[in-house]
Amino acid sequence: MARRVTSLQIAVNANAFTPRGAQDVYVPHITYPTANVVWTSGQTQTITWDTADAPTHITNPIGRILLRKGDRTTPLILAGSFNILDGKAQVTVPNVIEGDDYEVVLFGDSGNWSPAFTITGSNVAN
């Protein structure tokens, strides 16, 4: 007995084996903060990233920015629910342990973090 294949099955099978374009995952370069920048707790800062090379189809255009200290990404969400193509997001510098090993992590399709910078002014020590 011959097996009947529907057009839906053909479409699903074709999509399963069609490679996705490498440009679907978007990892924009963070342009600010840069290395050796100093932020002060309580200040407003604008994090920026380059959107010039954005692909036509981004799999996840909704952005979120977290704070990273040393080799750990903290649970602190500095900004969220913005369009990754905005190229910037304003944040309030949190009251955290002072240090020179902070980075911001930009999530959309993929995580990308800035160079290390300093946060001061919190009077919170280790």
Side-chain angles (χ1 to χ4, degrees), residues 17-72:
F17 295 105
T18 302
R20 295 181 89 173
Q23 293 183 353
D24 281 349
V25 175
Y26 182 43
V27 185
H29 172 73
I30 296 172
T31 56
Y32 184 83
T34 57
N36 303 315
V37 162
V38 178
W39 285 3
T40 302
S41 292
Q43 285 183 332
T44 299
Q45 294 287 340
T46 302
I47 298 167
T48 60
W49 54 93
D50 185 4
T51 61
D53 64 346
T56 303
H57 301 286
I58 299 172
T59 56
N60 181 18
I62 306 304
R64 183 172 46 132
I65 298 174
L66 300 179
L67 186 64
R68 182 175 174 88
K69 178 159 177 50
D71 62 352
R72 299 186 130 182

Side-chain angles (χ1 to χ4, degrees), residues 58-112:
I58 299 172
T59 56
N60 181 18
I62 306 304
R64 183 172 46 132
I65 298 174
L66 300 179
L67 186 64
R68 182 175 174 88
K69 178 159 177 50
D71 62 352
R72 299 186 130 182
T73 301
T74 72
L76 292 174
I77 299 172
L78 300 179
S81 299
F82 56 84
N83 186 323
I84 199 77
L85 295 177
D86 289 347
K88 65 181 178 180
Q90 265 195 345
V91 302
T92 300
V93 181
N95 195 25
V96 293
I97 296 171
E98 295 186 358
D100 61 1
D101 58 345
Y102 283 98
E103 299 162 321
V104 293
V105 184
L106 174 63
F107 286 99
D109 277 351
S110 184
N112 183 25

